[in-house]
Amino acid sequence: MERFIAVDTGKFATKVSEADANLNCLKREFSIRTKYGEGDFRDDAIEAQTVIAQVGDKVYKVGNGARDEEAGLDTSKKTEIHKVCTLVALATVASSNEKDVFHVATGIPCSEWANVSKRCDFKEYLLPEGDITVTIKTKSSLPPVKKTFTIKERYVYPEGIGGVLADGVFENVSENPHIPTGVIDAGNLNINFTYWQGLEPILDKCTTSEAGGVRLISDVAGDISSSIDNCDSLIISNILTNAPEDRCLPSGLGLTDEQIEESKRVIKNSIKKYVQKNMYRNCRSKDWSLNAMRIIAIGGTSQIVEDELKEQFGNVTVLPNANYCNARGYLRLMCANSKDYGERIIEFKFADEEKNETKMAEKEAGDKTEQKAS
């Protein structure tokens, strides 16, 4: 089977988007925590969202339950952890009874992408040629399964382009190509600021900050600890997943009502300071004309600070499905290239994932019924 897959090799999570067989809508999306350590196929207590996989000569535990190593802050993604997580992601969707042929798109920071040698080296390292065999165990109760596949086509795009290619944005870019687009891609560890004229990055107006979501959590935890009571990063990370109006210290424990109410104000002010210092100032440092251009925010951290981004920037658009924007952008470009659409890449539509899954489940059920009838 031929499969068209885009992989966004994030520092926190490796995001995957797959196209359907017609290359014009989304088939599925999922993510794997970018974390790995030593694995053992005898493991009978595999954690949630975790797999055991053999890649090459090594057996790894990959995902939430891995104990050893996470991706670092460096901008280069030519690292073992990104390669392992990418190949495990491909193996997750690969067939077990036939050798799939993959077409894979991925991305790297604009500064790395602009260097032809680095771009080619990364592509060859992350997505090797020839048969690739990965043995994977997805649940404690299941045996390991060996999967072999090949990668036929490899594409590497600049990170941030997913914001320009998103539904509702690309239409506007096509109609008004003279208006530049700034993309703020706020991930867990880094924030990439990319500046686009159409689909071309303007490199001297792009920059990267190491003040992603981890910095936000640390800042909020520090402000709460200094003004109310000691509070660790895990508690704050849980609080920040709540709706803005519900972001406060937990009630019913050892805190007074006044302290809980005060924590709402402290958290809100801390997020505002974070956005101004780590997002707004970085755009200004690259001389972005913020009131005369599109500002698009993607990445999981952008969703957390959406209200504060709108207060600070005014005209910013925080995209839904922000976590998968880059993967979807890579997928759209690759499928357009494969179908020889040229500039008509807008024809790739992102169908509702839940509806797709329902259709797939109904089709599988129908196939099984037909098999039984025959």
Side-chain angles (χ1 to χ4, degrees):
M1 179 183 293
E2 290 206 38
R3 296 180 181 272
F4 289 76
I5 302 273
V7 182
D8 178 10
T9 55
K11 299 292 186 181
F12 180 80
T14 301
K15 281 85 68 177
V16 179
S17 296
E18 182 179 7
D20 71 347
N22 295 320
L23 307 189
N24 59 10
C25 74
L26 190 66
K27 179 179 180 180
R28 75 177 112 194
E29 286 181 327
F30 65 93
S31 65
I32 297 173
R33 180 79 163 85
T34 308
K35 192 176 180 184
Y36 76 165
E38 184 178 347
D40 189 329
F41 283 121
R42 296 173 299 175
D43 195 338
D44 58 358
I46 299 175
E47 297 85 344
Q49 298 179 8
T50 306
V51 301
I52 308 297
Q54 181 175 349
V55 181
D57 296 330
K58 295 183 180 180
V59 178
Y60 302 88
K61 175 175 279 192
V62 179
N64 279 343
R67 299 283 187 267
D68 299 343
E69 187 174 337
E70 303 177 55
L73 282 168
D74 55 303
T75 56
S76 174
K77 295 189 173 183
K78 188 182 171 185
T79 60
E80 183 183 30
I81 188 169
H82 285 305
K83 181 174 184 176
V84 169
C85 289
T86 297
L87 295 181
V88 167
L90 297 179
T92 300
V93 302
S95 305
S96 57
N97 58 352
E98 63 177 306
K99 184 164 68 175
D100 287 346
V101 176
F102 281 97
H103 304 253
V104 184
T106 187
I108 52 178
C110 276
S111 59
E112 302 272 318
W113 174 85
N115 185 310
V116 175
S117 178
K118 287 185 177 182
R119 185 167 74 235
C120 293
D121 287 348
F122 173 76
K123 179 166 56 176
E124 292 170 4
Y125 174 79
L126 192 79
L127 305 169
E129 296 183 347
D131 286 356
I132 300 167
T133 298
V134 176
T135 302
I136 187 168
K137 179 179 179 180
T138 57
K139 292 184 179 180
S140 303
S141 58
L142 297 177
V145 176
K146 181 180 288 188
K147 299 184 178 184
T148 299
F149 52 90
T150 61
I151 303 174
K152 181 179 179 179
E153 291 185 301
R154 302 158 178 78
Y155 299 87
V156 177
Y157 299 115
E159 290 180 346
I161 200 167
V164 185
L165 288 168
D167 285 338
V169 178
F170 184 66
E171 294 91 333
N172 191 269
V173 171
S174 299
E175 292 170 5
N176 303 282
H178 59 285
I179 300 176
T181 305
V183 177
I184 302 171
D185 183 359
N188 189 56
L189 294 183
N190 297 329
I191 309 176
N192 288 320
F193 301 84
T194 51
Y195 188 103
W196 304 82
Q197 189 71 56
L199 294 178
E200 297 293 329
I202 310 301
L203 297 176
D204 62 354
K205 285 183 170 290
C206 301
T207 188
T208 298
S209 163
E210 295 180 351
V214 170
R215 177 74 59 82
L216 170 63
I217 292 168
S218 176
D219 287 355
V220 175
D223 288 345
I224 289 288
S225 296
S226 62
S227 60
I228 299 177
D229 197 6
N230 185 57
C231 188
D232 64 44
S233 294
L234 179 59
I235 292 173
I236 294 301
S237 65
N238 291 332
I239 290 173
L240 292 180
T241 62
N242 296 334
E245 63 272 17
D246 296 326
R247 290 173 182 168
C248 59
L249 291 172
S251 59
L253 300 174
L255 299 170
T256 66
D257 291 342
E258 290 77 12
Q259 287 176 312
I260 293 170
E261 192 62 30
E262 175 66 6
S263 70
K264 289 185 179 181
R265 185 191 66 81
V266 172
I267 291 170
K268 174 69 175 179
N269 287 341
S270 187
I271 296 174
K272 288 177 68 174
K273 288 189 297 181
Y274 168 84
V275 168
Q276 183 178 48
K277 178 181 178 181
N278 299 297
M279 295 181 169
Y280 186 78
R281 290 182 184 175
N282 270 294
C283 295
R284 284 300 192 193
S285 73
K286 286 297 181 178
D287 200 29
W288 287 18
S289 301
L290 296 174
N291 294 319
M293 60 187 293
R294 305 177 196 86
I295 305 295
I296 307 298
I298 65 176
T301 300
S302 291
Q303 290 183 309
I304 293 172
V305 303
E306 179 173 358
D307 289 353
E308 291 75 17
L309 275 169
K310 291 178 177 178
E311 291 172 14
Q312 182 68 62
F313 286 85
N315 70 328
V316 69
T317 300
V318 180
L319 295 180
N321 298 308
N323 282 326
Y324 287 95
C325 273
N326 272 322
R328 290 182 172 197
Y330 306 154
L331 186 65
R332 173 172 264 170
L333 277 176
M334 175 175 62
C335 290
N337 184 76
S338 294
K339 295 187 76 171
D340 195 26
Y341 274 170
E343 294 185 358
R344 295 189 294 115
I345 55 177
I346 194 62
E347 294 188 14
F348 189 101
K349 297 297 182 183
F350 296 114
D352 182 83
E353 179 184 1
E354 187 173 327
K355 290 180 182 178
N356 272 336
E357 290 178 350
T358 300
K359 289 179 180 178
M360 289 171 63
E362 291 173 350
K363 181 181 183 302
E364 290 174 0
D367 290 345
K368 290 178 181 178
T369 302
E370 289 179 6
Q371 290 173 3
K372 287 181 180 179
S374 60

